[in-house]
Amino acid sequence: MVEHRPYLKLLAHLVLILGVVIVAFPVYVAFIASTHKTTDFITGVMPVLPGSDFLATYKTVLFSGLAAAGAPPIGMMLGNSLIMALAISLGKIVISILSAYAIVYFRFPFRQLAFWIIFVTLMLPVEVRIVPTFKVVADLGMLNSYAGLSIPLIASATATFLFRQFFLTVPDELLESARVDGAGPLKFFKDILLPLSRTNIAALFVILFIYGWNQYLWPLIVTTDSEHYTIVMGIKRMSDVTDAEPQWNLVMAVAILAMLPPVLVVIFMQRLFVKGLVETEK
Amino acid sequence: MAAIDIKGVGKTYVGNVNAVSDISIAIADGEFIVLVGPSGCGKSTLLRMVAGLETITDGTVSIGNRVVNQIEPAERDIAMVFQNYALYPHMSVYDNLAYGLRNRGTPKAEIDARVAEAARMLELQPYLERKPRALSGGQRQRVAMGRAIVRKPAAFLFDEPLSNLDAKLRVSMRGEIKQLQKRLGTTSIYVTHDQLEAMTLADRLVVLNGGRIEQIGAPLEVYHRPASTFVASFIGSPAMNLVKTSVASGAVSIGDGETGLRANLPNGPVTLGLRAEDLRLSESGSGMPFEIVFIEDLGAQRLLHGNCGGQSVVVAVSPDLPLPGDIRLTIATDRLHFFAAETGKRIEAASI
């Protein structure tokens, strides 16, 4: 905005503060809930100030687990989620940068068709193809494994498309100059294209890591063995106890902990992330 | 260092689009050849075929007696300088210069020595650790030149290397390129659409139009004896005046006006080419009447744009010369260029 009128500024701030409150309030409630005793919720009134059980709750969640609710200590689930999210995000980046490279830089028959087929899969999210995908994964014996958790989610039209758009902005002369300099296709990719894509890769990594971390339906379907449970489905399982009051304080503590890794990724990669999305300098 | 022989080279794109056809140029070792022409004349395509960045559909290109049609650009022993520099943005100047050598497995010490030498020649030593984005346009252009020099190739190929620079820098870089090429004695092909660059740099000019060669020759030869109306209007500034005239029993007239010129030509229409500086204001009051439309003062000379016999003509005069009210032109009779009216080709020995 060019104008600097005080009441406009005030209004802008009010809107922003309102937005932050709306987004942050549930998180706040979750945090508050995780610091109270289970019994505090039975009254039906939600406390809004922190309680005294912060350490006890988190200790339970992290180290001893909750035998009654059938949930293991969440350390393993966090680990599983981390492995899955990393496998998905790194796998997606590797596959999509290579396919975008092929689509943009190589002339082969049906190149456009290949691109469009990849592009069309954007219309088929995991949920739509979940039954056939499950059948395939089950027949391949990948149920209850990290491979089963991550591989079906690795193919990514979005990332391929983003890399394609980025590659199209790289001037042709760079490729030609590399050719004259004696760099073959792989050398050009490794020495020139990959370093230039650094910020794009970082931005995509952030997005894809969060995507992988937040997967809920797919892990729920392919895992029946607690060794491979992920944290997001763990939250659901903990709140889903039969014939007992859910341990809301523990559930909320797990939710808070499940939120942390994506937040950390965003915080630490924010600089590169923003650069990757807005940078145009080539 | 090597001679380059371009024989009957043509380029046909998919859909039978002829970008370049039947080009033959024999380039001697160490020669500086400039390909010049308007945009779309195929000059860049021709250069890129020599570089190996475009496939050659007809004819052969040989570099140093080796036919290179099927050889990868890296194996052709050439170095290319691009219009937009094409520096690797994530590499330092040093790495930009060294990249091609590293890919060829040149020993480290040799790379260091060659980069240092090129940096000294181009006065790039203070910038070796910088990234291209921290350099000015002229410095980037130097790095691009350096990248060509360190390779010690058989030929330099320049693709409009100065087009992205401002006018002043362009003139000084032009001089540097010329000096450097003379010093290194490397065969060079240089593409430009700027006729001034072409005139000043070339040992020999190749004027291209519509994918064909209009004329090959030394700059002054092309300037003084243009082979066609196209060359005549393209080379030289201001462009040569091309006046439609008719010849009747040896006398040349513009429209209804007698010019007093005679030509050894059959009766009929003919195009007369006149350089602006070969036209004089008549002091005796005789000659063709000339009516000024507007005047351009360039400092060193004054260009009079006007009409003569109903056709627009430019006359270059000294800025000190007073302009009389009634202007008449005289023509230096030994500097006439006659071109066939239909084909635009030069007609030799037409002046008397």
Side-chain angles (χ1 to χ4, degrees), chain A residues 128-179:
Chain A
V128 176
R129 55 186 161 93
I130 203 154
V131 173
T133 311
F134 178 80
K135 171 75 176 144
V136 171
V137 169
D139 287 354
L140 289 173
M142 293 200 296
L143 295 181
N144 285 318
S145 68
Y146 292 122
L149 275 172
S150 48
I151 289 176
L153 302 178
I154 276 181
S156 168
T158 325
T160 308
F161 185 68
L162 285 175
F163 278 123
R164 173 185 178 265
Q165 295 310 98
F166 169 69
F167 289 166
L168 289 177
T169 67
V170 174
D172 285 343
E173 282 87 350
L174 228 45
L175 168 67
E176 290 170 351
S177 157
R179 278 182 72 190

Side-chain angles (χ1 to χ4, degrees), chain B:
Chain B
M1 256 144 274
I4 300 175
D5 197 15
I6 301 171
K7 262 201 205 114
V9 163
K11 172 78 187 178
T12 314
Y13 284 107
V14 184
N16 249 346
V17 183
N18 240 334
V20 169
S21 36
D22 197 25
I23 302 271
S24 296
I25 312 168
I27 301 169
D29 186 10
E31 199 174 13
F32 200 127
I33 289 282
V34 176
L35 305 178
V36 65
S39 28
C41 72
K43 55 191 190 300
S44 281
T45 309
L46 181 59
L47 186 78
R48 291 164 57 80
M49 282 195 283
V50 175
L53 298 171
E54 297 270 358
T55 53
I56 300 167
T57 42
D58 295 303
T60 57
V61 172
S62 343
I63 300 174
N65 293 326
R66 180 175 63 138
V67 175
V68 294
N69 282 34
Q70 300 299 330
I71 295 177
E72 272 293 299
E75 310 297 322
R76 291 190 182 195
D77 200 14
I78 46 115
M80 190 149 171
V81 180
F82 294 88
Q83 177 178 354
N84 65 1
Y85 324 128
L87 302 179
Y88 310 122
H90 58 290
M91 295 187 194
S92 67
V93 169
Y94 180 92
D95 290 331
N96 261 290
L97 295 177
Y99 187 66
L101 294 175
R102 281 194 193 130
N103 286 343
R104 281 174 175 70
T106 316
K108 181 95 181 60
E110 166 96 16
I111 294 179
D112 272 341
R114 289 213 206 169
V115 169
E117 190 194 347
R120 189 181 45 75
M121 253 193 258
L122 295 162
E123 292 158 29
L124 282 172
Q125 289 113 324
Y127 311 112
L128 282 178
E129 295 311 315
R130 288 211 199 159
K131 294 276 172 67
R133 81 172 80 87
L135 299 178
S136 69
Q139 288 163 345
R140 288 181 203 190
Q141 189 55 60
R142 274 169 215 268
V143 178
M145 298 270 304
R147 206 163 53 173
I149 292 172
V150 289
R151 295 256 316 278
K152 301 194 172 161
F156 291 139
L157 306 178
F158 298 92
D159 191 1
E160 310 204 14
L162 304 182
S163 301
N164 283 4
L165 301 178
D166 63 64
K168 197 175 161 202
L169 204 52
R170 206 179 300 170
V171 174
S172 67
M173 282 302 288
R174 196 169 75 198
E176 283 184 37
I177 290 179
K178 180 86 177 164
Q179 278 177 31
L180 209 58
Q181 196 270 343
K182 282 278 160 289
R183 181 138 51 110
L184 298 170
T186 309
T187 316
S188 303
I189 306 182
Y190 186 109
V191 161
T192 181
H193 58 260
D194 181 340
Q195 59 90 19
L196 192 62
E197 245 174 52
M199 291 285 288
T200 49
L201 284 172
D203 290 333
R204 273 196 302 158
L205 273 181
V206 178
V207 185
L208 290 166
N209 182 28
R212 289 177 186 282
I213 293 182
E214 288 277 335
Q215 189 170 9
I216 304 183
L220 285 181
E221 186 188 327
V222 172
Y223 183 82
H224 288 303
R225 299 177 60 79
S228 65
T229 49
F230 175 81
V231 178
S233 60
F234 197 80
I235 300 293
S237 174
M240 184 187 277
N241 296 305
L242 294 169
V243 182
K244 291 191 184 70
T245 60
S246 55
V247 177
S249 55
V252 182
S253 50
I254 301 175
D256 300 329
E258 270 295 320
T259 54
L261 299 172
R262 299 197 61 78
N264 185 13
L265 289 169
N267 291 354
V270 68
T271 305
L272 173 62
L274 298 163
R275 293 265 175 221
E277 58 270 25
D278 295 336
L279 290 164
R280 297 274 142 68
L281 300 192
S282 160
E283 279 153 21
S284 62
S286 63
M288 295 290 296
F290 179 74
E291 177 194 328
I292 293 179
V293 178
F294 65 96
I295 296 176
E296 285 180 323
D297 271 313
L298 302 182
Q301 55 177 193
R302 170 179 281 177
L303 300 181
L304 311 177
H305 294 257
N307 286 316
C308 183
Q311 304 192 48
S312 57
V313 164
V314 184
V315 183
V317 294
S318 157
D320 311 323
L321 199 71
L323 296 175
D326 174 34
I327 301 179
R328 286 175 176 273
L329 297 179
T330 55
I331 301 166
T333 50
D334 55 336
R335 297 277 184 82
L336 302 178
H337 309 269
F338 288 98
F339 302 99
E342 322 82 64
T343 61
K345 293 275 172 260
R346 182 181 187 86
I347 305 171
E348 292 293 348
S351 340
I352 298 172

Side-chain angles (χ1 to χ4, degrees), chain A residues 102-210:
Chain A
I103 286 171
V104 174
Y105 286 99
F106 292 87
R107 303 280 167 272
F108 53 89
F110 309 117
R111 191 167 63 103
Q112 279 302 317
L113 184 72
F115 171 69
W116 282 110
I117 288 174
I118 293 173
F119 197 64
V120 161
T121 61
L122 267 180
M123 294 177 212
L124 300 171
V126 178
E127 290 74 13
V128 176
R129 55 186 161 93
I130 203 154
V131 173
T133 311
F134 178 80
K135 171 75 176 144
V136 171
V137 169
D139 287 354
L140 289 173
M142 293 200 296
L143 295 181
N144 285 318
S145 68
Y146 292 122
L149 275 172
S150 48
I151 289 176
L153 302 178
I154 276 181
S156 168
T158 325
T160 308
F161 185 68
L162 285 175
F163 278 123
R164 173 185 178 265
Q165 295 310 98
F166 169 69
F167 289 166
L168 289 177
T169 67
V170 174
D172 285 343
E173 282 87 350
L174 228 45
L175 168 67
E176 290 170 351
S177 157
R179 278 182 72 190
V180 173
D181 267 346
L186 280 179
K187 220 166 164 42
F188 170 70
F189 181 71
K190 181 171 82 63
D191 288 350
I192 309 225
L193 219 45
L194 221 46
L196 287 180
S197 318
R198 204 173 55 107
T199 51
N200 290 58
I201 291 174
L204 267 175
F205 176 78
V206 172
I207 295 170
L208 296 177
F209 182 85
I210 293 169

